[in-house]
Amino acid sequence: MNQVIDCLCSRRSVRSYSSRQVNLDDLQAVLRAGTFAATAHGRQDPWIVAVQNPDIIRRLVAMNAAVMGTTDNPYYGAPTIILVFASDPSVWPNSLYDGALVLGNMMNAAHSLGLASCWINREREMFATDEGRDLMRQFGLPDGLIGIGALSIGYADGEPKAPKERKAGYSRVIA
Ligand SMILES: Cc1cc2nc3c(=O)[nH]c(=O)nc-3n(C[C@H](O)[C@H](O)[C@H](O)COP(=O)(O)O)c2cc1C
């Protein structure tokens, strides 16, 4: 099979990470792949923030866990968290689609480099709080953005689960 298609089909969500940090070259390659995702009208609406700072990661873990109502680590202990922000949909109706494609590109790019990842939710609620808005200012982001989602990124600790069977009729060709 074509290598790109093989990469797209073999990526899996990883929920257990070793403490080994992602090197900067690989991280930059993943971020760059995110910036080349298609965006509606070519507006490049999303903003990407990769966090490796342990203090900020601890804050993100606590904020996400508070939304989820858990004491577990919602980012599964990954040493890098990549956050994606975009315009409020009332300002730019395509912002969620744009941000989701950025996240998808980065997951697949990470996999192609031998990195593990998992999409993590709840950033919308996390960054709608005062603490979230403070962090966004600290990141140097413009005002008025919402959190779209995040990726845990690192090296897998163990083998991810095999994928579920694809549902019958998932795709079809009408000739
Ligand atoms: C929009 C979206 C939100 C997700 N949120 C989470 C999440 O918060 N935590 C998590 O562990 N996985 C999350 N996932 C990962 C899915 O659970 C995962 O993609 C799915 O189980 C299929 O597994 P696979 O990625 O290995 O194919 C999310 C995926 C998507 C696309």
Side-chain angles (χ1 to χ4, degrees):
M1 209 194 278
N2 164 302
Q3 276 189 333
V4 174
I5 294 176
D6 187 42
C7 176
L8 294 171
C9 297
S10 60
R11 180 213 54 81
R12 295 276 69 80
S13 294
V14 169
R15 298 188 173 86
S16 185
Y17 293 85
S18 77
S19 56
R20 180 178 163 202
Q21 186 53 281
V22 178
N23 76 57
L24 211 52
D25 285 350
D26 284 352
L27 180 59
Q28 292 290 9
V30 169
L31 299 177
R32 183 165 185 272
T35 69
F36 278 88
T39 56
H41 293 219
R43 177 177 155 126
Q44 300 180 36
D45 185 70
W47 297 84
I48 310 168
V49 179
V51 181
Q52 293 190 324
N53 177 299
D55 292 333
I56 300 180
I57 287 184
R58 268 191 289 277
R59 285 177 69 181
L60 296 173
V61 167
M63 289 163 70
N64 195 320
V67 177
M68 201 159 68
T70 180
T71 52
D72 294 342
N73 181 336
Y75 298 99
Y76 305 111
T80 298
I81 295 174
I82 304 180
L83 303 161
V84 172
F85 301 89
S87 296
D88 190 289
S90 64
V91 173
W92 181 241
N94 295 298
S95 66
L96 268 64
Y97 309 128
D98 289 348
L101 273 187
V102 168
L103 285 155
N105 262 25
M106 293 193 295
M107 283 195 287
N108 289 313
H111 179 51
S112 78
L113 294 171
L115 293 166
S117 73
C118 189
W119 177 318
I120 309 296
N121 252 357
R122 293 167 292 282
E123 281 64 28
R124 187 155 187 179
E125 297 90 329
M126 288 163 62
F127 289 96
T129 62
D130 288 344
E131 182 175 14
R133 276 188 286 270
D134 279 352
L135 266 181
M136 286 163 79
R137 271 191 289 274
Q138 199 177 314
F139 296 154
L141 295 172
D143 289 338
L145 302 180
I146 63 163
I148 302 290
L151 299 183
S152 289
I153 298 257
Y155 290 91
D157 181 17
E159 285 297 309
K161 281 192 198 154
K164 283 187 198 161
E165 284 294 312
R166 301 297 94 177
K167 68 182 178 190
Y170 205 154
S171 68
R172 63 202 64 195
V173 176
I174 313 294

